[in-house]
Amino acid sequence: MRSRQNWAWVVAGVAFVALVGAAAFRATPGALIEPLQREFGWSTGTIGLAVSVNLLLFGLTAPFAAALMERFGVRRVVAAALTLVAVGSGLTVFMTEVWQLVLFWGVLVGLGTGSMALAFVATITGRWFVRHRGLVTGVLTAGGATGQLVFLPAVAGLAETSGWRSASVLVSVAALAVVPLVLLFLREHPADVGVPPYGGTEVVPVRPAGAGAARRALGALREAARTGPFWYLAAGFAICGASTNGLVGTHFIPAAHDHGMPTTTAAGLLALVGIFDVAGTVLSGWLTDRVDPRALLAVYYALRGASLLVLPQLFHDSVQPSMLVFVVFYGLDWVATVPPTVALCRRVFGASAPIVFGWVFASHQVGAALAAGAAGLTRDHFGDYAPAWYVAGLLSVAAAVLSTRVRAGRGEVDGARVPEPAGARRAGD
């Protein structure tokens, strides 16, 4: 029992640290928009393009990364991804042209962080946990999202005092420092160390991977796309991405700066969102083990929509009590949607859930990418972010309605079991 507990929690702990390390660079876009504009004269829309590429690749990489983890192992994929993040972050210090920003910041870091996205969380929890699976999903999700936000004050402070290049170097070092931990302590399957998953009773033997990574990922998408619940989950999660990473995560700081608030103060507010996000996401994971995930999603999206609709009236040149209320409220709801979404994917798609969730997460990042670019263009055209906040609020309410449409039993869709693509079965799924 003790061995089982130790290995499951050690693997979860290493995964948590890796997610925080990967999140470091994803903290930089909002904090570096102003410094990049001052040095290069690039518009908000131009920088938003690089952010959009980053967010898009961050999502589209996830399902293929989940399949690669099954084919080549989690440890190799995560170590390579962290190295790619470090390289992309480090190379930005030499950039002088927009295409370099898109390549280093958008492509390299997007691919690296996408390889450690929420599909990684679904893979770890699916293999290593039976009991407390929703709770661990919430903790790991909070690690990635909160790490991104908590790094903001350090990134913004360095950008103000030592320049944005120093901030990029810090993030590069932080990501690279996690690689040895991954190589030393991350294990692939409980069977590799001779123990059952946490809460399980039998050691599940590891079977060889079947189809290639690309075919595995595309096969899972083909089968999932034939079902209504996949599209409801994907559409809702696209709105989730648009209203978090794409809009608030990228544009909250410059929006606050438009109203006279210092960049470092606005970054501190987003870091505070991250702190409350820990509590909200862990609580959401605990609730997911006990409450209908569809009901949780409907409540989360509806509350988020209400908060975004009032946000434009809360910006001032200093922090007001009303803004603090928004920060607490929004922070509790930031990524609380993840544990119930992962749970629904498991109930609907069974063994293919990690890869299918990778595709659902891809839709999350497509929404985030569209929102990041559209909000930048909105600011350039109207001179104000207000229309973007209102649209995101209304879309969040629509996501609440979509969530109630998902119908699934365990491993079934509308009463019919979803067939697995060739080569889908893998120990620990």
Side-chain angles (χ1 to χ4, degrees), residues 118 134 137-139 141-143 145-146 149 237 240 243-245 273-274 276-289 292-301 303-304 328-344 357 364 403:
L118 296 181
T137 299
V139 172
T141 301
T146 302
L149 298 177
F237 226 41
C240 180
S243 57
T244 53
N245 301 69
V273 167
F276 283 97
D277 169 60
V278 174
T281 308
V282 172
L283 176 61
S284 178
W286 183 83
L287 288 172
T288 299
D289 290 328
D292 186 345
R294 295 170 298 177
L296 292 177
L297 284 179
V299 171
Y300 295 157
Y301 285 131
L303 293 177
R304 180 184 299 173
V328 173
F329 188 82
Y330 190 82
L332 291 172
D333 193 38
W334 175 265
V335 289
T337 55
V338 174
T341 302
V342 172
L344 285 173
F357 177 72
H364 182 282
S403 300

Side-chain angles (χ1 to χ4, degrees), residues 100-412:
Q100 295 167 337
L101 175 69
V102 174
L103 175 61
F104 301 149
W105 193 351
V107 176
L108 294 184
V109 176
L111 290 173
T113 54
S115 298
M116 291 176 294
L118 296 181
F120 170 47
V121 174
T123 299
I124 292 295
T125 56
R127 290 181 179 182
W128 283 91
F129 291 87
V130 174
R131 187 186 306 161
H132 303 316
R133 185 177 281 169
L135 178 62
V136 177
T137 299
V139 172
L140 294 183
T141 301
T146 302
Q148 177 186 352
L149 298 177
V150 169
F151 268 99
L152 275 171
V155 171
L158 268 179
E160 289 290 325
T161 59
S162 303
W164 63 267
R165 290 179 175 83
S166 297
S168 293
V169 170
L170 171 67
V171 171
S172 180
V173 172
L176 200 58
V178 182
V179 174
L181 288 176
V182 170
L183 294 176
L184 288 173
F185 297 109
L186 195 62
R187 294 293 183 269
E188 300 296 332
H189 297 272
D192 294 340
V193 290
V195 298
Y198 184 83
T201 58
E202 297 182 357
V203 176
V204 181
V206 180
R207 284 169 286 189
R215 195 168 78 183
R216 173 84 169 90
L218 294 174
L221 174 63
R222 182 176 62 253
E223 299 295 344
R226 296 173 181 173
T227 70
F230 172 79
W231 293 108
Y232 295 137
L233 289 169
F237 226 41
I239 294 170
C240 180
S243 57
T244 53
N245 301 69
L247 186 56
V248 175
T250 303
H251 293 285
F252 180 87
I253 292 176
H257 189 71
D258 283 347
H259 292 79
M261 184 180 291
T263 298
T264 51
T265 301
L269 288 174
L270 273 187
L272 192 59
V273 167
I275 292 172
F276 283 97
D277 169 60
V278 174
T281 308
V282 172
L283 176 61
S284 178
W286 183 83
L287 288 172
T288 299
D289 290 328
R290 294 161 174 81
V291 180
D292 186 345
R294 295 170 298 177
L296 292 177
L297 284 179
V299 171
Y300 295 157
Y301 285 131
L303 293 177
R304 180 184 299 173
S307 67
L308 290 172
L309 289 173
V310 301
L311 179 59
Q313 285 73 49
L314 306 182
F315 286 112
H316 297 281
D317 58 358
S318 60
V319 179
Q320 303 295 315
S322 56
M323 178 60 80
L324 289 176
V325 172
F326 169 83
V327 165
V328 173
F329 188 82
Y330 190 82
L332 291 172
D333 193 38
W334 175 265
V335 289
T337 55
V338 174
T341 302
V342 172
L344 285 173
C345 282
R346 281 200 190 96
R347 292 185 182 184
V348 174
F349 303 106
S352 296
I355 295 177
V356 174
F357 177 72
W359 286 111
V360 173
F361 180 69
S363 72
H364 182 282
Q365 294 308 113
V366 170
L370 291 174
L377 294 174
T378 298
R379 170 62 178 81
D380 290 340
H381 183 74
F382 294 103
D384 191 356
Y385 281 104
W389 305 121
Y390 292 134
V391 170
L394 294 174
L395 286 174
S396 296
V397 175
V401 176
L402 289 172
S403 300
T404 64
R405 303 278 299 176
V406 179
R407 296 286 184 272
R410 186 167 298 278
E412 298 180 346

